[in-house]
Amino acid sequence: MAKATRAPTPVEPVHVAIVMDGNGRWAKRRFLPRVAGHRQGVDALRRCIHACAERGIGVLSVFAFSSENWRRPRDEVSGLMDLLAKALAREVPDLQRNGVRLRFVGERANLAESLRVRLLQAEQTTEAGQRMTLNVCFNYGGRWDIAQAAAKLAATGVAVTEDALGRAMALAHVPDPDLLIRTGGEQRISNFMLWQCAYTELFFTPCLWPDFDEATLDEALAFYATRERRFGKTSEQVETPVSAR
Ligand code: IPE
Ligand code: IPE
Ligand code: MG
C-alpha cells in the first residue's frame, strides 16, 4: 500500500505550558532587586498571552509560583504575592475583553484571604471567555496535584485508576500540554505538571523570561512542528493513516 505523506503531528499545539524562569538573573544582570525582574516578567506574560491568542493556541498554562518557592527570602515571596494582586487588578479587564478565561491552579488554603477573594473574582469575571484558557499555576506543584487527586479518590472511595486520577487533577479541565517551554536555560521540570507531561514535547531556551518575545515563541512553535509524536507507537504506524493500514 502507498505510504502516506500526511504529517502525523498537528502543526499548532492546542495546549502550551511555560515555566517562566530567569526573572532573578535578568534583574541581577542589571543590578536591580529580584522583584524588578518579576515585574518585567508580568509584562512578558502579557505579551505572550496576546501572541498565543493571535496564533490560535487554545490553552496556555504558566508556572508563576511553585510549592517550593515559599523557601525564598520573605521579601521576595511577599513581593510576588503583591505583584499577582496588582497584575490582576490591572489586567483582568483586558483579558475579559480579549475572550481569555482565567483559571488559577494550585493550593489556595495557605494564601491570604484577600488574595483568595481576588483569584475567585478574576475567574468569575472571565468565565465566559471562549478564545483561550489561561491557567496560572500559583502555589502549584505536580506532586501536590497528584496527591490531592489521590486524596479525593480515597475520600470518596473511588478506585484508583489512571482515568479516575486524571479526572481528579486540578488540571482536568484542559487536555495535556502538547508543548512545554522553559526559559532561563535550566533543563528540568522543577515539579511542574508531572502527570500531564508524560508525552509533552520539551523546548528549552536560554532566553530569560523577561526577554521572552514573539520570535522566541515562534522558535518554540517551529520546533514543535518538526516533532513526530508517537505516543509509544512506531514511526511507521503514526505516518500511515488507519484507513491505509
Ligand atoms: C522565575 O524566575 C519566577 C519564579 C520562580 C517566581 P526566578 O525568580 O526563578 O529567576 P532565576 O531563576 O533566579 O533567574
Ligand atoms: C520554577 O522555577 C518555578 C517557576 C518558574 C514558578 P524555579 O526557579 O523555582 O526552579 P528551580 O529551583 O531552579 O528548579
Ligand atoms: Mg529560577
Side-chain angles (χ1 to χ4, degrees), residues 15-17 59 61 63 105-106 135 137 140-150 152 162-180 189 191-202 229 231:
H15 182 177
V16 174
V59 184
S61 298
F63 203 5
V105 180
N135 295 311
C137 299
Y140 169 88
R143 288 179 176 178
W144 164 81
D145 198 6
I146 294 168
Q148 70 79 30
K152 257 192 230 163
E162 282 192 25
D163 280 351
L165 258 184
R167 278 194 301 270
M169 294 275 171
L171 277 155
H173 60 289
V174 290
D176 288 348
D178 301 296
L179 170 66
L180 172 80
I189 297 292
N191 200 14
F192 194 42
M193 297 206 188
L194 299 180
W195 178 271
Q196 294 82 1
C197 279
Y199 275 100
T200 301
E201 302 297 332
L202 309 177
R229 305 190 71 193
F231 298 97

Side-chain angles (χ1 to χ4, degrees), residues 20-26 34 38 64-65 69 72 76 80:
M20 308 183 291
D21 195 23
N23 296 350
R25 277 162 287 166
W26 184 95
R34 293 179 59 85
H38 297 315
F65 190 86
N69 287 148
R72 293 190 176 199
E76 182 171 348
L80 284 163

